[in-house]
Amino acid sequence: MNMSDLLLAAEHTPLAAAMRGEVGGEWLFPIVETLHVISLAMVFGSIVMVDLRLVGNTSRDSAVSKLSREVLPYTWGAFVCAVVTGSLLFVSKAHVYFYNLQFQLKFLCMLLAGVNMAVFHFGTYRQVLEWDEKLPPPRAARLAGALSIALWIGVICFGRWIGFTT
Amino acid sequence: MLHVAHHWANSIAGTALSGWFQNESWVVPTSQSIHIASVSVVFCCAVMISLRLLGLSASGRSVSQLVNTLVPWMYRALGVLLLTGIVQTIAEPVRQFVTPVFWWKMFLIICVLTLTIWFARAVRSNAVEWDAAARPAGAKWFALTSLGLWIGIVFCGRFIGYTWELYQ
């Protein structure tokens, strides 16, 4: 079974049919899509809060480690919701989305954002206690924060463009 | 009433600016992308403040600290939302004005704005009292109302695109 068969099999599930509005109401897709928007709003909003602190721009009265502990649980909770709702949207037209350029670029941006986060977390962040309240934060932290904001804006733009190209 | 709105929509659609926005296929998706990024900022700030007021967040920050940090960001993002919203309305006036969902959205926005401005002022003028209580009195209904309004606004925003053709 190759990729194409797998995608077609996903499209032929009852769940995918329901998402396309063939079973039940035609409102399932927009409702799931709105829940996806709410999830991504929490993901992006909370990531930007931490990133702007890493850049040294806002929440300057909170230590980086404290702010991360406060905000990042929201990010991960919302990320799980975004994955679940996103998967539902995906199966409705798996074949179309998978080969859509904007969809692929969106996932490339997310992959790069993940790599950026991992490099920062296992690098500069290990010594966070040394620079927790220092302003401006070290160069590597500022770079990681700025890069993260740019990549997540890319995720949003390509995500929105999927709707105009499929 | 929607009849009048349809008339306005047609006059906006006839302007040169609207024509230009319609011809440049990148304008609407770009504006919508900026709109979503700004929605994220406003929505996330509202959720963080509400959860803090409900005593559900692990935040070490006091209510006034949170409000002083986040509310200015909400106002900035709301400015961007207004601008991009105007661009989208000029580009596709009929899509916006014919569906009642657009007008519900505007109504909910006015409600949540009034509520937020009132709340931010109340916290600023009495920071000591708000910070002293773990779960400030009266905060619960504000938190729940504002959460409900914001979720309603996102739903309306997304549903404009799915309902307008029904009212064509």
Side-chain angles (χ1 to χ4, degrees):
Chain A
M1 202 182 211
N2 60 27
M3 197 64 205
S4 198
D5 294 334
L6 205 66
L7 293 167
L8 283 173
E11 278 179 34
H12 285 116
T13 56
L15 188 67
M19 283 302 295
R20 284 192 299 273
E22 290 160 13
V23 190
E26 56 185 304
W27 295 108
L28 191 58
F29 190 93
I31 289 170
V32 174
E33 196 184 22
T34 307
L35 296 176
H36 192 63
V37 172
I38 289 174
S39 310
L40 83 85
M42 284 304 294
V43 172
F44 181 75
S46 60
I47 284 183
V48 166
M49 265 182 212
V50 176
D51 287 342
L52 285 175
R53 176 62 185 83
L54 289 178
V55 174
N57 186 293
T58 191
S59 300
R60 295 162 71 105
D61 53 353
S62 298
V64 170
S65 61
K66 201 177 134 202
L67 190 75
S68 304
R69 271 200 307 275
E70 176 190 332
V71 174
L72 293 181
Y74 293 104
T75 313
W76 286 111
F79 189 75
V80 171
C81 296
V83 170
V84 171
T85 51
S87 307
L88 288 171
L89 298 173
F90 177 76
V91 292
S92 70
K93 286 190 288 182
H95 209 255
V96 175
Y97 290 128
F98 191 80
Y99 296 108
N100 174 269
L101 176 67
Q102 281 72 19
F103 181 87
Q104 293 168 349
L105 289 172
K106 174 182 172 175
F107 275 78
L108 178 66
C109 280
M110 271 202 280
L111 181 74
L112 293 175
V115 170
N116 175 52
M117 183 184 71
V119 167
F120 172 69
H121 194 83
F122 295 110
T124 320
Y125 193 75
R126 287 170 76 150
Q127 287 90 40
V128 65
L129 294 177
E130 288 166 25
W131 53 271
D132 223 359
E133 299 190 53
K134 214 174 98 188
L135 285 166
R139 197 190 209 24
R142 280 182 285 153
L143 185 69
L147 207 57
S148 169
I149 294 174
L151 287 166
W152 282 102
I153 288 178
V155 172
I156 289 188
C157 291
F158 289 125
R160 189 64 284 243
W161 247 278
I162 295 170
F164 285 89
T165 51
T166 52
Chain B
M1 223 191 62
L2 288 174
H3 200 73
V4 181
H6 212 294
H7 182 72
W8 293 345
N10 285 329
S11 5
I12 296 174
T15 61
L17 187 62
S18 181
W20 185 72
F21 284 169
Q22 287 159 40
N23 284 330
E24 300 289 328
S25 61
W26 57 272
V27 171
V28 171
T30 305
S31 179
Q32 286 185 355
S33 299
I34 301 169
H35 204 73
I36 295 174
S38 312
V39 165
S40 305
V41 172
V42 175
F43 188 81
C44 190
C45 289
V47 170
M48 297 248 163
I49 292 172
S50 294
L51 291 181
R52 174 69 186 79
L53 291 174
L54 293 170
L56 291 173
S57 91
S59 169
R61 289 190 274 184
S62 67
V63 171
S64 70
Q65 225 181 342
L66 259 192
V67 167
N68 287 330
T69 309
L70 300 185
V71 171
W73 281 97
M74 291 176 78
Y75 290 156
R76 277 169 223 162
L78 281 163
V80 180
L81 285 167
L82 180 67
L83 281 177
T84 49
I86 289 172
V87 168
Q88 283 146 229
T89 305
I90 292 175
E92 300 177 307
V94 176
R95 182 185 192 265
Q96 310 270 55
F97 288 173
V98 296
T99 166
V101 179
F102 172 78
W103 301 103
W104 295 345
K105 183 182 175 188
M106 295 302 113
F107 173 70
L108 295 180
I109 289 172
I110 290 168
C111 294
V112 86
L113 260 185
T114 314
L115 194 65
T116 305
I117 292 170
W118 168 82
F119 164 77
R121 284 198 179 163
V123 171
R124 280 191 185 130
S125 65
N126 207 347
V128 182
E129 204 173 292
W130 281 86
D131 290 348
R135 248 174 293 174
K140 196 174 163 185
W141 73 264
F142 165 79
L144 293 173
T145 314
S146 126
L147 268 183
L149 285 169
W150 282 115
I151 290 172
I153 288 166
V154 177
F155 262 93
C156 287
R158 192 62 288 230
F159 271 71
I160 292 170
Y162 286 98
T163 52
W164 75 276
E165 280 166 322
L166 304 175
Y167 295 93
Q168 266 288 68

